[in-house]
Each structure stands twice: as C-alpha cells, then as structure tokens.
Amino acid sequence: MPAAAGHAWAMDQAIRATWPSGLTDAEAARQRARGDGGRATDRGSVSLRRILRRNVFTILNGVLFSVSLVLLAFGLIGDAIFTAVPVATNVFVSVILEVNAKRKLDRLTLITRPGVTIRRAGLDRRALPDDVVLGDVVVLERGDQAVVDGTQVVGSIEADESVLTGESEPVAKRPGDSVRSGSICVSGSAAIEATAVGEATYASGLAREARHGSDE
C-alpha cells in the first residue's frame, strides 16, 4: 500500500474510532423481538406483458379497431385511419407512461437487494438489509445505497436522491440531517442511526403507492 494511501486509511480508521459504537447483538435481538426490525417487500412491478395486455386489449379498443376493419372492408380507408390512429396513439402514450413508472418502481425495489454496513459494538460488518433494526448505526460510503431512513449522526456525505425526488443534483448531508432509503452516497462517509426500517421506510411507501397506481 503506498504511503499516502496508508496514511489516509489510518486517518479514516482513527476518525471512525470516535463514531458511535451502535447496538450490541443482544440489543439488536431485543429490538427485533419487539417488532422493530423487518424487511421491505421485494415484490417486483408489473410485467411488460401485463402492461401491453391491459392497454391494448380493452373493450373500447376492440370496438374501435373492429369499426376500422369494417370501414376498410367497405373501402373507406380515410375513415378507417381516422378511427384507428387516435386509438393507436393513446395506446402508445399509455404504454410509455406505464413503462417509465415501472422503471422507477424497479429502481426503488433495489433497496432490498444491496448489502449494508452495520456498526455493532464498535465493529463494522456487512449484512443484509433485513438484519437492520431500529437504532442500528448504518455506515454509508461512496457508492452505498441507503436501505433505511435515518438521522445522520457523524460524517459528511453527498446523497443522490434522484430516484426519490427527481432532483439530479446531489444533496449535502451533515449531522442532524435526515437520510432517506433509496438515496445513494456519491461522496464522503457517514454514520446513520436508523429511524425506520422495512415497510416503514420512505422508499417502501413510494413503492407501495406506485404498485397501487399500476394495479388500478
């Protein structure tokens, strides 16, 4: 390891030694026993086939396309086109809107998949999002995705919240700021105390709303 890199690593470790130690395994087990742990649903969004089926194969579309075919049979090509084109345009626009919504929902559901660094009894360990309980200290570094909602207790990061808000510019986070699940750390490092996990997180709520809207 180069001397400069080794010095930076040593400084980082020294700083982390001053961070909150987090819960012990016994405390985390008690939190889970009280129901203060959980997992976000990983049920995916609707399939492309279903999106196409419910936008194309509707009663109204069937009637209008049938009328278009009858008009074609009588040689009324202009009238047939006049009837069919608006229907095809409506189907196209509806499918595009639903596909965009599906992509956003699929990005949200990724929060159930990445690993997470939990700080327990002063030691950092990699774990699954399901393992996080209320009060856990979660470490975020560059490239990490927040899998819980929490309050930043130490450190300094910039968070990409575009999947949640649509805002493309990273947001600076300091101690005391809220960090929402689904956001991605693009620079810096920080410790986050979990205030909502599993189905109670902000991103899980957005995913439920998106699924509800896609099922209507």
Side-chain angles (χ1 to χ4, degrees):
M1 179 183 296
H7 179 69
W9 181 87
M11 288 290 292
D12 180 68
Q13 295 304 304
I15 292 173
R16 290 199 181 195
T18 66
W19 286 11
S21 59
L23 303 177
T24 64
D25 286 336
E27 290 170 335
R30 286 196 292 271
Q31 287 286 75
R32 186 168 296 281
R34 286 196 292 263
D36 290 333
R39 57 178 301 173
T41 179
D42 59 0
R43 182 167 64 90
S45 59
V46 294
S47 66
L48 290 174
R49 178 180 296 180
R50 184 178 177 186
I51 290 174
L52 288 172
R53 185 171 65 245
R54 69 184 179 194
N55 282 284
V56 174
F57 301 107
T58 66
I59 294 176
L60 179 59
N61 287 347
V63 170
L64 292 176
F65 278 124
S66 297
V67 170
S68 297
L69 291 175
V70 171
L71 292 173
L72 280 175
F74 281 98
L76 302 174
I77 299 176
D79 291 336
I81 294 175
F82 182 79
T83 302
V85 168
V87 177
T89 302
N90 181 66
V91 169
F92 177 77
V93 172
S94 297
V95 168
I96 292 299
L97 290 175
E98 282 209 45
V99 168
N100 288 336
K102 169 185 166 59
R103 288 175 177 171
K104 183 173 182 179
L105 176 56
D106 288 342
R107 289 179 66 191
L108 284 173
T109 56
L110 287 176
I111 66 170
T112 65
R113 299 174 187 171
V116 58
T117 300
I118 304 175
R119 193 169 177 82
R120 294 260 177 92
L123 299 176
D124 295 345
R125 67 177 71 170
R126 292 296 287 177
L128 296 174
D130 299 356
D131 298 326
V132 185
V133 300
L134 286 182
D136 257 330
V137 172
V138 176
V139 177
L140 288 182
E141 297 180 296
R142 182 179 180 182
D144 289 341
Q145 186 177 48
V147 298
V148 299
D149 296 342
T151 301
Q152 187 165 318
V153 289
V154 290
S156 174
I157 63 172
E158 287 190 329
D160 178 356
E161 298 181 335
S162 58
V163 70
L164 304 175
T165 65
E167 176 57 52
S168 60
E169 292 296 323
V171 179
K173 299 289 184 178
R174 300 291 184 268
D177 290 344
S178 295
V179 177
R180 293 185 292 188
S181 55
S183 58
I184 299 173
C185 175
V186 294
S187 67
S189 61
I192 312 298
E193 182 176 345
T195 57
V197 299
E199 291 287 347
T201 62
Y202 180 79
S204 290
L206 287 181
R208 283 194 301 274
E209 290 179 7
R211 289 192 187 98
H212 177 72
S214 65
D215 288 339
E216 291 180 346

